[in-house]
Amino acid sequence: HVAGHGDFDPNQPDSATLFLQDGTPLKSMLFRAANYGGAQQPLIFLNCCMVGVGGELLGDMGGFPGNCLRGGFGGVLGALWE
């Protein structure tokens, strides 16, 4: 579970960012490149503005939803509101 602030630009889905308490940005691509959970495929809950919104990028899902699923999470729960 992550709670904080997020940012999403529908014209650039892979620029989706969530911000930690100290302001450190985490880009959605970080989650795509990882291999989380293995056979367990955990659920990730991102309680941050707009990070539940995805977008298409070169025929694949981008943003936090697409990148987290690609990185091995079994499900993504994220906020759609600003």
Side-chain angles (χ1 to χ4, degrees), residues 1 12-14 30 35 37 42 51 53 55-56 58-60 63 76 79 81:
H1 175 251
Q12 297 177 326
D14 277 341
L30 175 71
N35 187 15
V51 298
V53 180
E56 187 176 336
L58 300 174
D60 200 3
V76 180
W81 64 87

Side-chain angles (χ1 to χ4, degrees), residues 1 31 34-46 64-65 67-77:
H1 175 251
F31 292 82
N35 187 15
Y36 297 101
Q40 309 305 342
Q41 293 189 317
L43 170 72
I44 185 168
F45 178 23
L46 301 172
F64 279 98
N67 290 329
C68 288
L69 293 174
R70 190 60 87 167
F73 285 98
V76 180
L77 182 61

Side-chain angles (χ1 to χ4, degrees), residues 14-46:
D14 277 341
S15 70
T17 307
L18 61 86
F19 298 94
L20 301 179
Q21 183 175 359
D22 66 358
T24 302
L26 290 178
K27 298 286 188 181
S28 66
M29 289 299 288
L30 175 71
F31 292 82
R32 183 182 195 94
N35 187 15
Y36 297 101
Q40 309 305 342
Q41 293 189 317
L43 170 72
I44 185 168
F45 178 23
L46 301 172

